[in-house]
Amino acid sequence: MKTADFDFDLPDDHIALRPAEPRDSARLLVVRDGVLEDRIIRDLPDFLRPGDALVFNDTRVIPARLSGVRQRIGAGGETLTVAVEATLHHRDAPNVWSAFMKPGKRLKAGDRIRFGRLQDAACDLGRLDATVAHKDEDGLITLRFDLAGPMLDEAIRDVGVMPLPPYIAAKRPEDDRDLSDYQTLFAKWDGSVAAPTAGLHFTPALMEAIRAKGVSTHAVTLHVGAGTFLPVKADDTADHKMHSEWGEVSAETAAALNATRAAGGRIVCVGTTSLRLLESAATPDRVIHPFHGDTAIFITPGYDFRAADVLMTNFHLPKSTLFMLVSAFAGLDTMRAAYAHAVADGYRFYSYGDGSLLFRSIG
């Protein structure tokens, strides 16, 4: 399909810069059988049935945006420096991360990067050093850090900041509020560089109401990479390359979800991240299997869904892989109409914005 098929007009002021307070007071556009209904997030239990299963992503966002300088020895023996910024993407080894870097064209293999505190060379605190190990054609740069494992994790927490999406970061700097605002109620395992944003809407009171409805809750883990922010530059969706992300579906969760389906319950995915992971773990016979590893699944219209029956998700940007996914799930014409309604009615878009509840299109 053509990428232009997924374009729409989104006024700049529709991108939310802060979440709703309280979180479950955000708006919720329900999209079912082509019918649109305006509700709020705390109404979610009204659309769930006893025996349904809600699936959340329990990843935790790390402070994955690092600022520093490239250090290179010039022809005359002098040290040449350039300011750089890295957004970590995927952990490849205990001391290795792939990252998107600016200005990436100024970097080459062998360059030394110093992140964090640049002065006081005698003190290692607040400083993190790495070597550019490799540059990929797709823009990813492999960084080999001088630290590894838990020591590297601690150093990243010390020098990094929360990686707000560029659509928010361009309008305001990160602050202390984002440390909690950009983390879900379910956050457990460090590793994401972007929040699974549909989960940001949930509160303890909402979870209590969901469980009181007889709905079970389950967790999967998908560490969201920085590639989620990248626009689709190819004219045809078939030419777009998805970057891989690491995920895990436990044997216990897979068995519970298969039992839900067998008993007539629905699998309700909170967020496109949990949906993509379950679809990666499911086979054509619609059985969900344990999963542990990378996935680069790219879902566009025509995809045959194997696991998800209902999807709760935020509103996504034009020509994004996520708008392509929701169009595959609920139908392109339906989602065009839903987004036109959302824009006209003042819904708030993207990570800190409002939510939608989509029922899978059949046929």
Side-chain angles (χ1 to χ4, degrees), residues 244-322:
S244 65
E245 299 165 313
W246 184 91
E248 181 174 34
V249 179
S250 69
E252 179 183 10
T253 295
L257 296 179
N258 289 327
T260 292
R261 178 70 60 75
R266 299 172 301 181
I267 295 176
V268 182
C269 291
V270 176
T272 57
T273 59
S274 61
L275 181 146
R276 288 189 293 111
L277 182 56
L278 288 186
E279 292 297 326
S280 301
T283 45
D285 57 2
R286 305 190 188 283
V287 174
I288 299 171
H289 297 269
F291 184 94
H292 183 98
D294 281 5
T295 177
I297 190 170
F298 181 26
I299 297 175
T300 58
Y303 176 83
D304 182 22
F305 287 87
R306 303 170 177 179
D309 300 300
V310 183
L311 170 64
M312 180 180 168
T313 184
N314 282 21
F315 288 94
H316 308 294
L317 298 185
K319 296 194 290 188
S320 64
T321 61
L322 300 182

Side-chain angles (χ1 to χ4, degrees), residues 180-197:
S180 57
D181 284 351
Y182 202 56
Q183 209 75 265
T184 72
L185 183 69
F186 321 103
K188 184 177 181 180
W189 305 109
D190 284 350
S192 273
V193 303
T197 54

Side-chain angles (χ1 to χ4, degrees), residues 103-347:
K105 293 181 179 180
R106 302 285 297 272
L107 300 173
K108 66 179 183 180
D111 282 346
R112 291 286 290 171
I113 310 292
R114 172 156 292 175
F115 297 109
R117 183 181 296 139
L118 306 181
Q119 305 300 320
D120 190 11
C123 180
D124 290 337
L125 295 176
R127 195 182 78 197
L128 178 58
D129 294 334
T131 300
V132 175
H134 182 69
K135 286 182 66 175
D136 287 339
E137 292 182 359
D138 61 2
L140 278 176
I141 290 177
T142 302
L143 294 174
R144 181 174 293 108
F145 288 93
D146 291 2
L147 301 176
M151 292 182 66
L152 175 56
D153 297 339
E154 184 177 352
I156 290 172
R157 285 193 293 270
D158 190 27
V159 305
V161 298
M162 291 298 277
L164 287 183
Y167 314 98
I168 297 175
K171 296 184 177 182
R172 67 166 181 84
E174 301 88 351
D175 57 32
D176 289 344
R177 277 189 57 183
D178 294 310
L179 296 176
S180 57
D181 284 351
Y182 202 56
Q183 209 75 265
T184 72
L185 183 69
F186 321 103
K188 184 177 181 180
W189 305 109
D190 284 350
S192 273
V193 303
T197 54
L200 296 177
H201 296 295
F202 286 79
T203 63
L206 179 57
M207 292 301 298
E208 184 177 342
I210 288 168
R211 294 189 178 108
K213 193 70 181 276
V215 175
S216 61
T217 58
H218 309 271
V220 296
T221 305
L222 182 75
H223 291 326
V224 190
T228 190
F229 299 140
L230 295 180
V232 177
K233 296 181 179 179
D235 292 333
D236 193 297
T237 59
D239 297 325
H240 177 70
K241 177 186 176 182
M242 291 285 283
H243 292 91
S244 65
E245 299 165 313
W246 184 91
E248 181 174 34
V249 179
S250 69
E252 179 183 10
T253 295
L257 296 179
N258 289 327
T260 292
R261 178 70 60 75
R266 299 172 301 181
I267 295 176
V268 182
C269 291
V270 176
T272 57
T273 59
S274 61
L275 181 146
R276 288 189 293 111
L277 182 56
L278 288 186
E279 292 297 326
S280 301
T283 45
D285 57 2
R286 305 190 188 283
V287 174
I288 299 171
H289 297 269
F291 184 94
H292 183 98
D294 281 5
T295 177
I297 190 170
F298 181 26
I299 297 175
T300 58
Y303 176 83
D304 182 22
F305 287 87
R306 303 170 177 179
D309 300 300
V310 183
L311 170 64
M312 180 180 168
T313 184
N314 282 21
F315 288 94
H316 308 294
L317 298 185
K319 296 194 290 188
S320 64
T321 61
L322 300 182
F323 183 61
M324 294 171 187
L325 184 154
V326 297
S327 297
F329 191 80
L332 179 55
D333 289 341
T334 296
M335 292 314 298
R336 283 174 174 161
Y339 272 51
H341 171 82
V343 169
D345 208 40
Y347 276 76

